[in-house]
Amino acid sequence: MKLFGAVLIFLGAGGLYILRRREELLPLRVGQAVAADLAVLRWQVCVCRRPLPEICTEILTDGLGAAYLWGPLGQYLQEEDHTLPGCWVRAAEKLPVPLGRLLTPLGPLLPAGGERLADAVEETREELSRFLRAEAERQADRSKITAAVCLSGACLMILVLI
């Protein structure tokens, strides 16, 4: 019975590790999806001259970028009496913490389009790439710490209960 209890405690610690890891990786995964989608946005707006509501509802509809940025943005754009920069800011605020701050400056440039927007999107993608590299390194260290805390907590609990 003690062995079964110990196995259950270790399984619980493993489940906690997986949940914490998934939470910690969310900004990284969303950032990677949005960085890829920004290239599509730049192409569709600056080259193809498609309107942003069409891009949000017809082209950028898959993945985490759609769930966290493009879907809400498309909904905000369909509401009346909202400006494009205002909708962009509202959608960017819903992103995981550092991503919204990185993407907010694009809002005022979206209505302008053209070369200015293309340059701003590329600059934002570069900033986002820097953030993603730093975040990946930080997450590697945090993953080890999280695993150690979960494992040591499980071991301590088993020792106390035995």
Side-chain angles (χ1 to χ4, degrees), residues 1 4-5 9 16-17 20 27 48 56 73 83 86 93-94 98 103 110-112 119 128 136 145-147 151 153 156:
M1 193 57 113
F4 182 67
I9 289 172
L16 177 64
Y17 170 75
R20 289 287 302 160
C48 298
C56 292
L73 180 60
T83 63
E93 287 173 350
K94 305 253 186 231
L103 293 173
L110 284 171
D119 293 342
L128 199 53
I145 293 170
T146 302
L151 182 63
L156 180 65

Side-chain angles (χ1 to χ4, degrees), residues 79-146:
E79 296 174 0
E80 293 183 22
D81 53 278
H82 288 294
T83 63
L84 178 58
C87 291
W88 179 266
V89 169
R90 282 178 59 196
E93 287 173 350
K94 305 253 186 231
L95 290 170
V97 175
L99 299 177
R101 179 183 50 81
L102 292 172
L103 293 173
T104 300
L106 281 179
L109 298 173
L110 284 171
E115 198 62 35
R116 224 172 128 201
L117 176 64
D119 293 342
V121 168
E122 283 306 311
E123 183 177 328
T124 301
R125 287 185 70 215
E126 289 173 11
E127 287 180 33
L128 199 53
S129 294
R130 281 192 293 273
F131 163 74
L132 292 174
R133 280 192 297 275
E135 183 70 10
E137 290 173 9
R138 190 177 72 82
Q139 288 300 332
D141 293 337
R142 287 193 71 158
S143 174
K144 294 173 189 172
I145 293 170
T146 302

